[in-house]
């Protein structure tokens, strides 16, 4: 279903100065590395999830913060959003190709940390 799907486009080929406050890439980095942005990208790395599934999988996040985080990540083109016209509407989120690409090193970092912590617990 393509109705209700929002896919953001990120301009490519343009040079960015991430140290400048007006840099679009800086905004994306801020959203990705925000308190909840990292966890949304990691939660969506394997499959798409409905809003309530995301809220349940990320312990400690409020509905308001999840909605704000998702809105920013959709706007940045990292996450897609699909609304099914049911009552109540069912909203599903997943990673775009860009989101998968950006989320991969975050997932690797998370996996390395959990492996190291598991090794320390065993030893």
């Amino acid at each position: 279903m393509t109705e209700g799907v929002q896919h953001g486009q990120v301009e490519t080929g343009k040079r960015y100065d991430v140290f400048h406050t007006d840099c679009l890439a800086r905004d994306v980095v801020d959203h990705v590395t925000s308190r909840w942005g990292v966890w949304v990208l990691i939660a969506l790395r394997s499959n798409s999830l409905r809003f309530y599934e995301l809220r349940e999988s990320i312990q400690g996040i409020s509905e308001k913060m999840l909605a704000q985080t998702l809105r920013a990540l959709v706007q940045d083109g990292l996450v897609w959003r699909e609304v099914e016209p049911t009552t109540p509407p069912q909203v599903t989120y997943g990673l775009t190709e860009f989101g998968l690409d950006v989320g991969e090193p975050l997932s690797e970092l998370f996996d390395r940390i959990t492996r190291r912590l598991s090794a320390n617990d065993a030893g």
Side-chain angles (χ1 to χ4, degrees), residues 41-65:
L41 293 176
I42 289 173
L44 292 173
R45 68 182 170 175
S46 300
N47 56 345
S48 57
L49 297 170
R50 291 200 174 132
F51 184 88
Y52 76 90
E53 292 172 322
L54 264 172
R55 191 186 67 225
E56 293 298 316
S57 68
I58 304 171
Q59 293 183 4
I61 193 168
S62 69
E63 250 183 64
K64 178 183 176 184
M65 285 310 305

Side-chain angles (χ1 to χ4, degrees), residues 5-10 12 28 32 41 44-45 48 73-74 76-81 93-107:
V5 176
Q6 300 172 358
H7 295 278
Q9 287 293 331
V10 176
T12 57
V28 174
V32 167
L41 293 176
L44 292 173
R45 68 182 170 175
S48 57
L73 295 174
V74 167
D76 292 339
L78 296 161
V79 171
W80 55 261
R81 176 181 190 263
Y93 295 90
L95 294 181
T96 63
E97 186 176 326
F98 182 39
L100 287 166
D101 191 37
V102 169
E104 187 177 335
L106 296 174
S107 293

